[in-house]
Amino acid sequence: MISLRDLTVRYGDTVAVDGLTTDLEPGKIYGLLGRNGSGKTSLLSVLAAYRKAAGGSVTVNGVDPFENPQAMRDTVFVRDAPDVPQADRVGKVLGFFARLRPRWDAAYADHLADTFGLDRRKRVSALSRGQRSALGVVIGLATRAPLTILDEAYLGMDAVARSVFQRELLADYLAHPRTIILSTHLIQEVADLFEEVLILDRGRLIVQEDTDTFRSRGVAVTGPEEAVETFVSGRTVLARQSLGGVRQATLYGSLDDDEQRRAGSAGLTLEPVGIQDLFVHLTSAERTPEAVR
Amino acid sequence: MKTMVLTSFLRMYRPQMLWFAGFLVVGVGLADAVVARFTDPPFSLWMFIAGSAVKYWLGVVGVTLVAVHLRQFVAAGITRRDFIVGGLLFGVVLAVAAALLVPVGHGFEDALRGGAGGVPADYPRWSVPVAVSEFGHVLPSCLAYLVAGAAAGAGFYRFGAWGGLPLLIPALVPVAAAEGLLGLGDNGEVLTRLVPYGIALAVSLLATVLGVVLYHRELRHAAIRSGPVG
């Protein structure tokens, strides 16, 4: 169990994570979403003991992970650029992690390296952006750490490699269940992997829900302008779009059966809203975190 | 985990150690041979070159400990504390190896030059007590350079270019103490300046320990930065 209480991360006068409180149950895949600068990497850095929090507390299985040998051994944090010497060859990098990571699965690492087409003789500096990300993914998955954190880990990968990554992540998670936190901007692509979604905005947690519930919260109401406005009156409207006399309003909040029937009889069409669209609306510049919560 | 850090470092640096020692032996050996063809110098070329090179190399290793390896080890689940201790243990092993290389090389040079028809009277002849003395002088210098490099590198890593600059002064105290009190004479013989050897050794080691304290304080809460390593 990961517990964060009033967690704050600062860089000088800038507050990256602002009094965040939440609990994350073990054995789930979490999607951590947020715009650039929303505090995702800062939060993950604290969880992985890469950084000390400025305030509040963080515990992983009851202990503060910072400088805790067991907690650090049980956590792997893969950032957009893997933390390995650029001059080292891929084979040497994998060998290094194999010696230091107690749960390292060498056969699986080999399988992943082959799948991503990583040449073990190549130096890290000679790898393309996508290949470097692939190396990070190999490290992240083959470590088999009970807490696996992947922060934009597949940046620069081509569509095929990203698809392989998603397939391998899911298969390995099912074979070796653990807590995985996946931070990404490619929301639509990986949304189906998430069991729970966390959205950070300007350092604050504005959404934490299981993915299906979150998905059901977004409804697009389309129909004649007046009917739409009447229907959405008093509800949280995330966005409005109009074309001629037709209007579409994106609502935040699920509709019960009665409300759905009322919409139908008013000539309105109801459609689900994708996680990415919900995310865009919830974290738009004009919307404050307080307004969402 | 400290032992794993130590063994990982030894594995990583083994090729470098062998290349460095090889270049030193071959390079100074060739230079000695060339010089001996034209003159019979009253000094030990080996002591001047190897005696300096080993400590400078240790200084460079100290700097790279943090700049290249800290992120790598933390990413592999190693705590900063274990990294510091394991890295310093590695540094001690490296310093002992380097400090052994110097008198051993001097012994070979002495044998080769003595065998070629005697050496000038001022040449620092090799003997077991001389070798022990050389080891006793080179080791604290190597440790001082290693720790100074590590503390200086950690200061820049933690506090950036400007913040690390003032920390250079305390970081270099071990080097100042070792260079000020323990050194080489005009012909490459080891000598102790200003105070007796025992005091010079104690002061040098104390300064090195203070350097270790500085290194630890710089790193113990250091955030792991992103960006290319090495």
Side-chain angles (χ1 to χ4, degrees):
Chain A
M1 168 78 93
I2 297 169
S3 294
L4 310 173
R5 294 289 173 271
D6 204 21
L7 184 76
T8 303
V9 180
R10 282 198 194 90
Y11 302 94
D13 294 335
T14 307
V15 180
V17 178
D18 189 4
L20 197 150
T21 296
T22 189
D23 291 311
L24 304 181
E25 289 170 20
K28 282 186 175 180
I29 299 182
Y30 293 91
L32 179 62
L33 312 177
R35 300 183 65 189
N36 292 330
S38 60
K40 300 188 300 294
T41 299
S42 299
L43 169 63
L44 297 177
S45 297
V46 171
L47 284 179
Y50 272 41
R51 174 176 291 283
K52 201 168 169 57
S57 69
V58 52
T59 59
V60 178
N61 295 327
V63 297
D64 182 348
F66 193 80
E67 288 295 272
N68 182 294
Q70 185 64 48
M72 287 182 70
R73 235 188 337 268
D74 286 348
T75 303
V76 64
F77 181 31
V78 177
R79 304 195 269 194
D80 53 359
D83 294 308
V84 299
Q86 299 290 298
D88 282 0
R89 295 182 197 280
V90 170
K92 187 177 174 186
V93 168
L94 297 180
F96 174 77
F97 281 92
R99 282 189 296 280
L100 291 176
R101 285 297 195 175
R103 294 184 185 82
W104 182 264
D105 187 331
Y108 185 52
D110 285 341
H111 160 74
L112 286 175
D114 291 340
T115 306
F116 285 117
L118 284 175
D119 183 348
R120 288 165 186 73
R121 290 164 303 177
K122 262 194 175 178
R123 292 189 191 280
V124 174
S125 56
L127 297 177
S128 68
R129 183 72 195 77
Q131 285 175 321
R132 251 177 260 184
S133 292
L135 176 61
V137 167
V138 174
I139 293 167
L141 294 184
T143 295
R144 294 259 166 79
L147 175 56
T148 300
I149 303 173
L150 305 170
D151 184 14
E152 292 294 345
Y154 55 89
L155 208 69
M157 279 187 186
D158 59 35
V160 176
R162 291 203 303 272
S163 164
V164 168
F165 162 70
Q166 289 154 25
R167 197 179 62 228
E168 290 291 345
L169 175 74
L170 188 59
D172 197 53
Y173 169 71
L174 293 173
H176 304 274
R178 53 203 195 258
T179 306
I180 296 177
I181 303 178
L182 195 57
S183 160
T184 182
H185 289 300
L186 299 171
I187 301 167
Q188 210 65 28
E189 270 192 25
V190 289
D192 289 340
L193 292 174
F194 303 154
E195 289 174 84
E196 200 167 313
V197 175
L198 296 101
I199 298 181
L200 281 186
D201 189 29
R202 283 159 268 190
R204 303 196 195 164
L205 185 66
I206 58 169
V207 170
Q208 181 179 5
E209 276 179 329
D210 74 78
T211 309
D212 291 337
T213 307
F214 179 60
R215 227 182 230 126
S216 70
R217 289 203 186 279
V219 183
V221 183
T222 311
E225 228 173 70
E226 210 170 299
V228 168
E229 284 309 317
T230 307
F231 183 77
V232 303
S233 167
R235 301 176 198 276
T236 307
V237 180
L238 297 176
R240 284 184 173 86
Q241 281 179 304
S242 294
L243 186 65
V246 178
R247 173 161 291 183
Q248 183 179 68
T250 305
L251 295 182
Y252 186 64
S254 49
L255 301 177
D256 59 28
D257 293 346
D258 188 43
E259 289 170 316
Q260 289 183 25
R261 265 195 304 277
R262 208 153 54 79
S265 57
L268 302 175
T269 313
L270 300 179
E271 287 170 304
V273 178
I275 285 181
Q276 177 156 310
D277 290 331
L278 265 176
F279 167 77
V280 169
H281 292 311
L282 287 171
T283 58
S284 60
E286 61 270 19
R287 191 167 292 281
T288 61
E290 288 81 6
V292 175
R293 284 187 292 188
Chain B
M1 291 311 274
K2 297 168 189 77
T3 318
M4 289 177 77
V5 175
L6 167 65
T7 53
S8 294
F9 269 125
L10 288 173
R11 184 187 284 264
M12 275 189 258
Y13 277 83
R14 189 174 50 201
Q16 267 194 49
M17 288 156 67
L18 293 174
W19 275 106
F20 177 76
F23 270 121
L24 210 53
V25 170
V26 173
V28 179
L30 284 174
D32 248 338
V34 170
V35 170
R37 279 183 65 87
F38 300 102
T39 180
D40 200 7
F43 56 83
S44 166
L45 199 61
W46 172 264
M47 286 302 293
F48 277 123
I49 295 178
S52 300
V54 290
K55 59 191 183 186
Y56 297 151
W57 184 55
L58 263 292
V60 171
V61 170
V63 171
T64 59
L65 276 182
V66 174
V68 177
H69 300 296
L70 174 65
R71 274 176 57 185
Q72 177 187 20
F73 276 92
V74 172
I78 302 295
T79 62
R80 292 157 186 78
R81 190 173 47 249
D82 286 347
F83 173 80
I84 291 169
V85 175
L88 289 176
L89 284 175
F90 162 69
V92 170
V93 171
L94 210 56
V96 169
L100 281 172
L101 180 68
V102 173
V104 169
H106 183 204
F108 276 110
E109 184 192 59
D110 182 273
L112 289 172
R113 289 189 60 185
V119 288
D122 290 339
Y123 176 82
R125 296 306 304 266
W126 188 89
S127 66
V128 172
V130 167
V132 171
S133 174
E134 286 172 352
F135 178 79
H137 277 71
V138 175
L139 180 61
S141 288
C142 284
L143 291 171
Y145 270 85
L146 175 95
V147 169
F156 283 112
Y157 180 85
R158 171 94 188 263
F159 300 106
W162 287 107
L165 210 52
L167 287 170
L168 265 182
I169 297 166
L172 291 176
V173 165
V175 167
E179 289 290 310
L181 301 175
L182 305 162
L184 292 177
D186 293 341
N187 297 316
E189 73 281 13
V190 290
L191 55 80
T192 307
R193 300 187 191 96
L194 305 172
V195 291
Y197 173 74
I199 294 175
L201 177 67
V203 171
S204 175
L205 289 180
L206 178 66
T208 300
V209 169
L210 291 175
V212 170
V213 172
L214 174 65
Y215 177 54
H216 173 258
R217 293 194 73 84
E218 287 167 333
L219 273 198
R220 63 181 178 157
H221 291 156
I224 306 304
R225 297 166 181 272
S226 55
V229 181

